Amino acid sequence: MSPETRGAAGRIAARVGLVLLVLFAAFPFYWAVVASFTPEATLFREPSLWPRELLLDHYRALFTERDFWTPIKNSLIVAGTTTVFCVTIGAFAAYALARIEFPFKRAILGFILAVTMFPQISIVSPLYMLLRALRLINTYPGLVLPYVTFAMPLAVWLLVGFFRQLPPDLEEAAMVDGASRWQSFTRVILPLTGPGLATTAILTFIYCWNEFLFALSFTLGPERYTVPVAIALFRGQYQVPWGQILAATVVATAPVAIVVLAFQRRIVQGLTAGAVKG
């Protein structure tokens, strides 16, 4: 077999493998979409990979019987507030870690990376005691503050990579022209890291949108349930409404999937920058 033939066979095998990987990853969401339009009675009795009839009963019940707008509103408020807070504060912290020399900088960066690896379940109990003492259980601040504990290290870690990608000559030139460090940061560096800030905001928002353990532990009623918790609690004592659960899954997943597909290149760059430059 000639080298050209082996190369062509390798490219074909790679593309086939890529197609199979995409089908494997996308099939659960596809089946959830099909099943969400399928009547409950035929969902398991006659399962089909193709939609035989399109019924909106599950989606209608989702918003008329279960008030699914409230979990969506709660998730938007908590994830949005956490994202704004983490990106704003994280930008200052990441700039200091990337540009300013001070003792134990590497140790601090390593500690931030270690926090991202910390299992959430290990801090649920102390956080619950703290939030209860502050009377923040079942409140928006009571969710935002725990979310910051795991979202802030992610934001700082990603932004450090973006700041390190910028050449220091830009700041030095601005400071030679009379700009202070604050002015060089706000007028030179921040505009150039706009894509990095947007990528960090997207990843932080998705991370908070999908969070389940803290939302389940620190809320007491449906008025503060987030989307993952509300879907998990759809299950009744004697019945599991799979049609409504799958419809809610589609409603909760579709916006996130669209955002990821639209900004996939930026997200990959963000993950790569945070991993390599850190």
Side-chain angles (χ1 to χ4, degrees), residues 47-278:
S48 174
L49 294 178
W50 310 104
R52 297 175 179 173
E53 53 181 331
L54 297 179
L55 295 180
L56 297 176
D57 292 355
H58 300 316
Y59 290 92
R60 190 178 298 110
L62 202 61
F63 294 102
T64 58
E65 299 176 7
R66 294 189 178 275
D67 188 23
F68 198 61
W69 289 116
T70 298
I72 292 176
K73 181 194 70 176
N74 293 336
S75 287
L76 287 175
I77 292 175
V78 174
T81 305
T82 305
T83 300
V84 171
F85 186 79
C86 288
V87 173
T88 304
I89 304 301
F92 293 105
Y95 177 77
L97 289 169
R99 283 290 195 263
I100 301 174
E101 293 297 330
F102 56 89
F104 309 112
K105 189 172 73 171
R106 288 186 176 276
I108 293 174
L109 198 56
F111 177 75
I112 290 175
L113 178 62
V115 170
T116 61
M117 307 297 176
F118 219 65
Q120 284 183 273
I121 189 65
S122 62
I123 59 175
V124 167
S125 296
L127 276 177
Y128 184 87
M129 300 296 290
L130 175 63
L131 294 174
R132 190 179 66 172
L134 296 174
R135 298 182 179 181
L136 292 179
I137 294 295
N138 206 39
T139 63
Y140 289 133
L143 287 179
V144 172
L145 289 177
Y147 278 26
V148 170
T149 60
F150 67 84
M152 182 67 81
L154 171 69
V156 172
W157 185 258
L158 292 175
L159 288 173
V160 166
F162 281 112
F163 284 126
R164 283 181 173 174
Q165 287 181 334
L166 297 177
D169 298 345
L170 296 173
E171 298 167 81
E172 294 173 0
M175 297 173 83
V176 167
D177 291 338
S180 63
R181 182 171 289 278
W182 170 257
Q183 289 173 328
S184 64
F185 173 67
T186 56
R187 298 181 181 181
V188 177
I189 299 300
L190 275 185
L192 294 176
T193 53
L197 294 173
T199 301
T200 304
I202 292 171
L203 290 173
T204 304
F205 184 86
I206 293 174
Y207 200 26
C208 297
W209 179 271
N210 294 327
E211 203 283 331
F212 174 75
L213 181 59
F214 286 168
L216 178 65
S217 303
F218 304 140
T219 55
L220 301 177
E223 70 278 3
R224 289 292 179 271
Y225 286 159
T226 59
V227 169
V229 176
I231 294 176
L233 297 180
F234 275 5
R235 178 174 182 169
Q237 185 175 3
Y238 303 105
Q239 184 181 11
V240 180
W242 287 111
Q244 296 181 24
I245 290 176
L246 292 171
T249 302
V250 172
V251 171
T253 306
V256 177
I258 292 173
V259 170
V260 171
L261 291 175
F263 299 96
Q264 55 179 319
R265 182 171 298 180
R266 295 289 186 187
I267 292 174
V268 172
Q269 289 177 351
L271 292 174
T272 305
V276 176
K277 296 293 182 180

